[in-house]
Amino acid sequence: MRNITVAIDVMGGDHGPHVTVPAAIRCLARHPDLNVILVGPQDIVAAELKARRVKTGPRLIVRHASQVVAMDEAPALALRGKKDSSMRVAIDLVKSGEADACVSAGNTGALMATARFVLKTLPGIDRPAIAAVMPTISGHALVLDMGANVDCSAEHLLQFGIMGAMLVSAVEHKPNPSVGLLNIGEEDIKGNEMVKRAAELLRDSHLNFYGNVEGNDIFKGTTDVVVCDGFVGNVTLKASEGLAKMIATTLRAEFKRNWLTRITGLLAMPVLNAFKRRLDPRRYNGATLLGLKGVVVKSHGSADRLAFEHAIETASEEVRNNVLKRITDQIQLLQRVAA
């Protein structure tokens, strides 16, 4: 089993090296086949390592980068003006083959623009998509696109379905994952012309196409993969995050209402803690930029150490299970059939 090297944009996210460096160290301790390249200003990274009494070595390397992409920076400006940013250098390491994957909690638009410019897309893929895992009653589902492509064609949605199915098949070892197309109803007559055409293409493909699914089907776990355009996907994601926060805030307020509800809350604490662990967003952190000639994973900007660890592990698993080759093979199969 070969070692896997992950380049980490140390400066990305709301917390920067205070989160990314310790998360990388913990992942190294748990995964003997993992190597890490910490990318960022040499003095800042060195200070973080010194504070944790960790030294560099064959499995832990520091690569200097003199610039940082701000969270609110315009993607075009970051792409043109910050060629020595921690984000750009980490992606360059994937391009050169020094790293197998890149993980960043930085500016999403800048990460997508830079990764697409540097790495380019896989043969047969027009646009990369952001794929994220969402919890369901039965486990979890992969949803894409989550915001990279607001306007999509039917062919793009077909490509998203292929990429999502290959990712789930590889990482979760499911030989034939089901794929659903997010729509306003299950019937074939529902949706706009683009979605109807996408359903036809998915139905004629080699995928295990379930058919149209509605928003509530995501959380039911009706299919392993849910396909949609980036506008719908991003609204779905943000609405889900908002709902989760609203439920948590409301529960806390109700249990603090009076002495009786406080006692009830104490009695219910084991169930509430189990519920919290099951839906903990940190366990689902790490959205993949699928369709690129390299593995790039976007961590949530506000991720803590546990969440960022999960993003690193997501990237490692995709490399370990040869996701890029699986997507390429399936696209080539589709092109041969079309020809």
Side-chain angles (χ1 to χ4, degrees), residues 38-210:
L38 300 174
V39 184
Q42 182 82 33
D43 55 341
I44 293 177
V45 179
E48 284 293 330
L49 292 174
K50 183 178 180 181
R52 288 163 177 80
R53 298 179 181 178
V54 174
K55 295 182 179 180
T56 57
R59 296 182 60 212
L60 181 61
I61 299 171
V62 177
R63 184 64 59 89
H64 177 67
S66 62
Q67 297 173 306
V68 176
V69 175
M71 293 298 283
D72 59 350
E73 194 161 349
L77 293 177
L79 180 61
R80 290 197 302 266
K82 292 194 172 178
K83 297 181 180 180
D84 196 44
S85 68
S86 54
M87 179 185 291
R88 175 64 178 267
V89 174
I91 294 171
D92 284 341
L93 289 171
V94 177
K95 173 70 173 179
S96 68
E98 292 180 68
D100 300 297
C102 162
V103 180
S104 174
N107 182 316
T108 303
L111 182 66
M112 176 61 83
T114 304
R116 187 173 183 179
F117 175 78
V118 173
L119 299 175
K120 306 299 186 291
T121 57
L122 290 168
I125 297 295
D126 297 324
R127 299 181 182 180
I130 299 175
V133 172
M134 298 184 71
T136 70
I137 293 174
S138 56
H140 53 261
L142 185 75
V143 185
L144 70 165
D145 177 28
M146 286 301 212
N149 306 282
V150 175
D151 298 308
C152 294
S153 67
E155 288 73 20
H156 294 147
L157 294 184
L158 170 62
Q159 292 171 14
F160 297 169
I162 292 171
M163 293 191 294
M166 292 306 100
L167 176 58
V168 171
S169 176
V171 175
E172 299 182 25
H173 308 291
K174 291 185 177 181
N176 197 25
S178 55
V179 178
L181 178 64
L182 192 59
N183 203 343
I184 58 173
E186 296 181 355
E187 300 84 358
D188 292 340
I189 61 171
K190 292 291 182 71
N192 56 31
E193 292 305 313
M194 184 271 289
V195 172
K196 291 178 184 177
R197 174 58 181 158
E200 293 176 3
L201 294 176
L202 286 163
R203 195 173 292 112
D204 293 340
S205 71
H206 286 79
L207 299 176
N208 179 17
F209 182 54
Y210 173 89

Side-chain angles (χ1 to χ4, degrees), residues 203-282:
R203 195 173 292 112
D204 293 340
S205 71
H206 286 79
L207 299 176
N208 179 17
F209 182 54
Y210 173 89
N212 292 329
V213 295
E214 299 179 86
N216 58 343
D217 283 305
I218 296 175
F219 303 102
K220 288 180 183 177
T222 302
T223 59
D224 300 305
V225 179
V226 177
V227 175
C228 58
D229 65 53
F231 183 92
V232 172
N234 194 262
V235 170
T236 301
L237 176 64
K238 297 300 171 60
S240 303
E241 291 175 345
L243 176 62
K245 289 180 181 178
M246 185 272 288
I247 292 173
T249 302
T250 303
L251 280 174
R252 280 195 296 268
E254 289 300 322
F255 280 126
K256 292 179 180 179
R257 187 176 294 276
N258 54 52
W259 66 268
L260 183 59
T261 58
R262 288 176 184 272
I263 293 173
T264 304
L266 289 173
L267 293 173
M269 195 59 69
V271 175
L272 291 173
N273 286 336
F275 176 77
K276 182 180 178 180
R277 283 194 299 273
R278 183 171 178 180
L279 299 184
D280 188 349
R282 297 177 300 175

